[in-house]
Amino acid sequence: MSSPGSRRAPSATSSPRQDVTAWERAWGLLPRSWAASLLRLVLGLFGVVLPPASRWDPVLRRQITRSLVVDITTDDGVARRWSFDGPGRRARSTTVTAGAPDHALRFATSGQALATLLSTRTVDRVVAGVVTQRMRIEGSAFVVIWFHGLTRRIVRIGRRRGPRVRPPGAYLSPDPSLDGDETITREPAVTVLDPTWTDAWRARARLWMPRGGAGEPMPEP
Amino acid sequence: MSTRPGPQAVPQPELSDRALGWLRFAWDKATTPDDWSDQGEPHPWWDRYGSPPMCVFPRFDLSEMAYTLPMLMESTPAWREAYTRIADELIWRFVSFWGGIDWNTLIGPDPNVDRYSPEWLCCAPEPLRGAYPLPGWTGNGVEPWGLQPDPVGADGNLFYRAWLNLTLGIRRYVAGEATEHDTFQVTGYRNRQFPWTHDRVARHLSNQLATRPQGPHCENTKIWPTCVTAAGLGLQLYDSLRGTDLHAPFPAWAEYARTHYMGLKPDGDLDWFAFYYDPVEDKVATLHEPYNALIFLHVLLPQEPAWATQLYELCTRAIGFSDRRHPVVHLAKDPRMIVTALVLARELGDTTTEARLRDEVEEHFQPRFFGEHDDRFGYWFGLDEPWPRGQLNAILAMADAAPPGAWSRVFDQPQTDVHAEPTLRDVDFPRVAIRQARNDMTARTLDVVTAVSRPEPQATTAVTVDRLPAPSLATVELDDRPHTAWRVTGSDAIEVDLPVDHCRLRVWF
């Protein structure tokens, strides 16, 4: 019988990652006033572009589904707020006014914020920053990921994660010759649950999946 | 005091109070009747709320609850009837309407693609958010797949049949009964019934793994490394129990996944890992790499230990679980990442990370006993719900159920010999629980340790020990003293009277 540790025990504590990377150190060399000004410019650009884009870009509009407020701030005095109108599918941006946001991403310094937001690996850096307690997320980390996705609709920094070439061997449509000894029953496509199966409709209405889509508040993933 | 030499005093595992408490609650859930047909609704304690949107179906609670059953066997290899009963109760629910409710009712295109919350939209590939069905929406009936009424005999719905096969395999293992050719009915679309056997399900899975290099898909059309790996795990168990070779296609898929579903940075860190891949859209969903990879490692580890260990190290480092310089951070409200990492840490012998995460669990996840005699156990996660959340507890119970390495041993080294050895039966469970039940075939003894939540010293109960070679020649000791309250009841069986109390029974055979 194998015993615990008979597999190679992980050496996970032997080489912790560096808390502050060279990239972040480089941004930290900027004088604070310069960094703050540059960050205000960057956040201001997103503040100026995102709202009108939310009026005419269907890709952005379809993702604005709830009314919420997101702040990005630094401890050295830079702050920007985005307010999302779910029913209207609009965004607007202001300086941070009174009232707590629903979600916030807070940095210690403007240099740190620039290093993170202008990185090709923003989400990784945010996670690392939160883990090492150099950054703070208030509210949901998933909303931060969602917001980051919206900004990438304006300016995409870094490639999308995934294979660089299409993986081979895709199975894209039914092929009965591959069913083997079993027969897969395939019937014509339908677009909706049989309306006469009322018991199924009643049961389905209890599921969180359709309830979440109907606007009912649901927990995060 | 016994004067006979007994088995060598080698410490053997026994079920802890928490493990017994979890088993007690699992028994409650499994054996309390409820209606899983389209006319009814599962009892609310069946978890259809966990890890939304993809796991908000009670079937996940069923399959995850099965995980601990063979692990508990490490302490009670000679007593398995309760595990078999629980497994049977899980399986009939699994193949019911509600067991396949996602495949049976989430038909056609997802009408809510642009109405989900931002948190849920993150589960879609970034460029498709707001125009793409979320994981969980099975989309049975969409082109080009058409409506496929059989949840098992389908192109998609892999997560259903993969975990069905695994649960059937667990049942076969704990029961030791050759049921792989017994027919059961699977409820499909419009309540149509589809006859299947365990053997056919396993061979169907194996064929799909062999003929689809990317892996079979779950929702139309999403390929999940988690689910393909679960398919492999069930086949590995099937092969271990039956001497077949149905798991053979899995290593090739694992190599494919290493090549196409993940990427490493030049420094060896994890660059990306596919939460799932959509071959129609040719898009990968990457929620967050450590989460994407961590959540499936417990089903990967018994099959590909080197790859699983590599991913485990990369993930736990990336999210700081193994970094003693910083406290453990709860990145997401869903505790699944921490829970899974704890189970893996224990399984792999990473005692440092296990201790860190165990402290976190003890402090934040509200472990406590509950029920009439405080004999049920669960973690409450601060959720203010009447019962412990099922899916999370089922996984976390793996860390309480057995010694490190037990999960992998289920698949690598199943204890199939125990089915032919003396076996304890007819225990009045849960009135009496079994903390340990083990044969020493060299010393020819069966040792049993009972546990009761409410001792009744004046009351007695009877248990059966069968598969004895010569029952009339057996001798029995109770708490190290000769015990005469027993009788032969069959050609290979005896019945022994016990107090309804904590006691130690030894049968010499």
Side-chain angles (χ1 to χ4, degrees), chain B residues 192-337:
Chain B
R192 290 159 64 177
Q193 299 296 301
F194 296 93
W196 281 91
T197 68
H198 182 190
D199 185 71
R200 285 175 57 214
V201 174
R203 292 181 187 280
H204 181 46
L205 274 170
S206 183
N207 176 69
Q208 288 190 324
L209 270 178
T211 56
R212 303 181 192 187
Q214 297 186 336
H217 63 267
C218 295
E219 305 93 333
N220 290 330
T221 308
K222 297 176 176 59
I223 299 168
W224 292 77
T226 303
C227 307
V228 180
T229 304
L233 190 62
L235 294 175
Q236 182 185 27
L237 180 58
Y238 193 83
D239 287 349
S240 294
L241 299 175
R242 299 217 52 234
T244 49
D245 196 28
L246 301 182
H247 185 260
F250 183 80
W253 177 85
E255 183 56 37
Y256 185 100
R258 277 191 290 268
T259 304
H260 299 289
Y261 294 158
M262 65 177 277
L264 297 178
K265 298 180 205 174
D267 62 3
D269 267 349
L270 193 59
D271 182 14
W272 63 275
F273 193 92
F275 199 30
Y276 59 86
Y277 170 67
D278 185 323
V280 173
E281 300 287 345
D282 189 26
K283 291 285 188 299
V284 159
T286 59
L287 188 62
H288 175 56
E289 266 53 48
Y291 182 87
N292 301 341
L294 198 58
I295 57 167
F296 89 118
L297 295 186
H298 60 298
V299 291
L300 179 66
L301 180 62
Q303 305 178 76
E304 296 275 338
W307 186 28
T309 303
Q310 176 198 26
L311 289 174
Y312 168 82
E313 292 189 357
L314 295 176
C315 292
T316 51
R317 187 168 65 197
I319 46 181
F321 286 168
S322 56
D323 191 340
R324 286 178 289 195
R325 298 173 300 159
H326 305 290
V328 174
V329 171
H330 299 233
L331 282 168
K333 295 186 176 68
D334 183 353
R336 187 177 285 263
M337 204 155 58

Side-chain angles (χ1 to χ4, degrees), chain A residues 50-95:
Chain A
L50 197 61
S54 72
R55 285 197 286 275
W56 53 261
D57 183 357
V59 174
L60 280 175
R61 290 176 58 78
R62 72 191 187 205
Q63 298 182 60
I64 300 173
T65 59
R66 299 290 187 278
S67 298
L68 51 90
V69 174
V70 177
D71 284 359
I72 294 180
T73 70
T74 69
D75 293 343
D76 57 12
V78 178
R80 190 79 191 174
R81 171 167 288 182
W82 286 264
S83 301
F84 295 92
D85 170 17
R89 298 190 181 260
R90 296 281 177 85
R92 68 186 180 92
S93 183
T94 61
T95 54

Side-chain angles (χ1 to χ4, degrees), chain A residues 65 89 121 166 168 196 206, chain B residues 41 114 116 190 256 271 279:
Chain A
T65 59
R89 298 190 181 260
R121 312 196 63 87
R166 189 176 192 126
T196 67
R206 294 179 171 82
Chain B
E41 185 174 358
D114 60 347
Y116 292 107
R190 267 321 219 140
Y256 185 100
D271 182 14

